[in-house]
Amino acid sequence: MNVTIQHAFLPHTDPEAALGFYRDILGFEVRADAGYEDMRWITVGPVGQPGTSIVLQPPAADPGITDEERRTILELITKGAYAAVTLATDDLDGLFDRLQAAGADVVQEPIDQDYGVRDCAFRDPAGNLIRVTSASA
């Protein structure tokens, strides 16, 4: 049996800012961009890896969520405490330099961790934690 990760979901609070980060800075390709009323779901993924995608979704779009719950979710997203994803690259320092030069919110510069990986961390425009690990780790 082969099990893979097909989609991961992260909330966005500004679809154009999310595209600027994931497409223009990280270099992901846009695989789908679907809207409904004033909401957009944008599917992005690394070039050459069509089976793995991140769906950038409107936060708290579930109609079963109360206004108070929606406010709480938006507060957690803004604090960076709601969602996260870990990416891997074969050029951690190069990607860090590109993200930093583009003005991304740096959480942690590249560092060799005690637990055996070299990584860094950023927040995307919505506040989601994006950790990047060296692919050779």
Side-chain angles (χ1 to χ4, degrees):
M1 177 186 307
N2 184 21
V3 178
T4 62
I5 296 172
Q6 185 174 18
H7 294 95
F9 289 79
L10 290 177
H12 73 74
T13 53
D14 178 338
E16 294 306 319
L19 279 171
F21 183 82
Y22 288 95
R23 179 193 61 206
D24 302 337
I25 299 172
L26 283 178
F28 284 1
E29 61 187 8
V30 176
R31 303 204 173 129
D33 189 339
Y36 175 74
E37 295 181 355
D38 63 345
M39 299 178 285
R40 276 172 75 186
W41 287 258
I42 304 164
T43 304
V44 297
V47 174
Q49 297 180 43
T52 304
S53 298
I54 296 174
V55 179
L56 304 166
Q57 65 180 358
D62 185 331
I65 294 175
T66 67
D67 288 341
E68 183 178 340
E69 291 167 333
R70 189 168 283 109
R71 278 191 298 276
T72 300
I73 289 168
L74 288 171
E75 287 173 10
L76 290 170
I77 292 168
T78 302
K79 290 180 180 182
Y82 187 75
V85 67
T86 299
L87 308 174
T89 181
D90 59 358
D91 184 5
L92 184 66
D93 293 314
L95 181 58
F96 176 84
D97 291 344
R98 182 170 59 184
L99 285 161
Q100 187 174 41
D105 181 11
V106 176
V107 174
Q108 173 202 304
E109 294 187 6
I111 187 171
D112 293 320
Q113 300 287 1
D114 293 339
Y115 45 89
V117 301
R118 180 170 171 76
D119 67 359
C120 65
F122 292 87
R123 295 206 190 285
D124 75 2
N128 299 305
L129 181 65
I130 310 298
R131 186 161 290 284
V132 185
T133 302
S134 176
S136 61

